[in-house]
Amino acid sequence: MTASPNTQVGEFGQPAPGESFSPGVRAFRKIIRKPSVILSLAFLALIVLLAIFAPLVTRLSGWDPFTYDEAAVDPSSGGLPLAPLGGMSAEHWLGVEPQNGRDIFARIAYGARVSLLVGICATAITMLLGVVMGLLAGFFGGIVDAVISRLMDFLMAFPALIFMIAILSALPQGNRPALLVIVLSIFSWPATARVIRAQTMSLANREFVEAARTSGAGWAPLVFREVLPNLSGTIIVMATLAIPNFIATEAGLSFLGVGITPPNPSWGQMIASAVPWYSSDPMFFAIPGILLFLTVFAFTVLGDNLQKIFSGGFE
């Protein structure tokens, strides 16, 4: 059964003669026309490729993220890089860290792996939990809605950042990326569930759902075949906006010393290490800071434009 075609037409316009109606394709065609989106996608593709092929790229550069190059720093100046611009050279493409001479490009590449891994995995788990809980609460109502809603209220009552810091400080080192993903997801899914619950309650009494219910469909087909497809736009937008939020949160926790722990590289950890050197070696501070800002900004621009597309905000 086709779900709410009138709503889709209102959002994406009538298909051209001989063209099949595909909201996803039409949304992509609209969003790809904007220069800001093209630039954001190009930058994100570069970061993703850098993260995926970090071992290969660093092998080409000749340095891994853990090797010290004492010949690249000057002990007489307190360990500042010998070459200008933070030690940039043909050997060290983005310079070196003061005192130890570790290659910044290699640490940036492996730090991108951590940021994207935590951001994407935390988003996937948050969306899964939030969508399922929101669908169940909004569709069934009654005691199911009451129990899930009280659980959401309970988790949202915590000052999330403070409890994240406390929990991560108390937990053993272990696999820090996995611990970050779990902690971020636990405190983040209620916000997603609330949005999905509200939209599910609105859709549950729509004509196409009532028609499917009248034809004898059970609750599972009603939820997953009739209601869920109509939430796809909302889910995509929320996921796109969640990724930069998680990337920034991971960087903040690593900056505070409770996220990714040394010697494993992380952009937030690199920024924290660079703070004492910002006046004498500004490139050590600027490079991870700029890359973190641009990555979060690119995801935010993409998510904002997707939100406008799915809400019919621009032609």
Side-chain angles (χ1 to χ4, degrees):
M1 181 176 294
T2 302
S4 59
N6 292 334
T7 302
Q8 293 177 342
V9 170
E11 290 182 359
F12 299 101
Q14 293 285 354
E19 179 184 10
S20 60
F21 193 93
S22 175
V25 172
R26 295 181 68 83
F28 177 77
R29 288 180 180 177
K30 283 185 178 182
I31 200 171
I32 204 66
R33 296 173 188 167
K34 296 180 69 67
S36 60
V37 173
I38 296 173
L39 290 174
S40 296
L41 288 173
F43 178 78
L44 291 175
L46 179 63
I47 294 297
V48 170
L49 290 174
L50 180 64
I52 293 173
F53 297 105
L56 175 62
V57 174
T58 54
R59 196 176 299 120
L60 291 174
S61 71
W63 295 94
D64 64 46
F66 308 109
T67 302
Y68 289 8
D69 183 10
E70 296 179 358
V73 296
D74 182 9
S76 63
S77 64
L80 287 174
L82 286 169
L85 297 175
M88 290 186 183
S89 64
E91 192 173 6
H92 297 286
W93 299 345
L94 294 180
V96 297
E97 291 185 346
Q99 292 187 324
N100 55 48
R102 289 186 299 194
D103 187 73
I104 290 180
F105 175 77
R107 295 186 67 78
I108 285 289
Y110 278 84
R113 277 190 153 191
V114 171
S115 294
L116 292 178
L117 177 67
V118 171
I120 293 172
C121 290
T123 298
I125 295 175
T126 298
M127 289 297 113
L128 179 62
L129 289 173
V131 169
V132 170
M133 291 295 191
L135 279 170
L136 294 176
F139 187 82
F140 289 106
I143 186 65
V144 175
D145 184 24
V147 171
I148 294 176
S149 295
R150 296 298 76 78
L151 178 60
M152 291 190 292
D153 293 339
F154 174 77
L155 289 173
M156 294 183 76
F158 287 99
L161 182 59
I162 294 175
F163 275 83
M164 285 185 206
I165 295 173
I167 291 171
L168 289 168
S169 299
L171 290 173
Q173 291 301 312
N175 188 333
R176 298 306 286 187
L179 292 174
L180 280 167
V181 168
I182 293 170
V183 171
L184 289 171
S185 302
I186 288 173
F187 286 101
S188 301
W189 72 262
T192 300
R194 279 198 163 185
V195 175
I196 298 300
R197 171 184 174 272
Q199 295 203 5
T200 300
M201 292 176 68
S202 173
L203 290 168
N205 296 318
R206 296 285 293 273
E207 294 83 358
F208 62 92
V209 177
E210 290 294 336
R213 184 182 286 116
T214 303
S215 66
W219 70 267
L222 289 175
V223 170
F224 295 106
R225 293 182 185 175
E226 303 298 336
V227 176
L228 183 58
N230 284 270
L231 298 174
S232 59
T234 299
I235 295 170
I236 291 171
V237 171
M238 294 184 71
T240 308
L241 292 174
I243 293 175
N245 180 54
F246 287 133
I247 289 175
T249 304
E250 177 275 318
L253 292 171
S254 297
F255 180 90
L256 295 172
V258 296
I260 305 300
T261 53
N264 297 312
S266 162
W267 290 353
Q269 179 199 111
M270 291 180 68
I271 294 172
S273 301
V275 169
W277 301 90
Y278 76 91
S279 58
S280 54
D281 186 6
M283 295 305 294
F284 182 30
F285 182 87
I287 291 172
I290 291 172
L291 282 174
L292 176 62
F293 166 76
L294 290 177
T295 302
V296 172
F297 183 70
F299 272 114
T300 304
V301 168
L302 183 60
D304 182 62
N305 280 278
L306 282 172
Q307 189 173 34
K308 290 179 181 179
I309 282 288
F310 285 107
S311 64
F314 58 79
E315 297 298 326

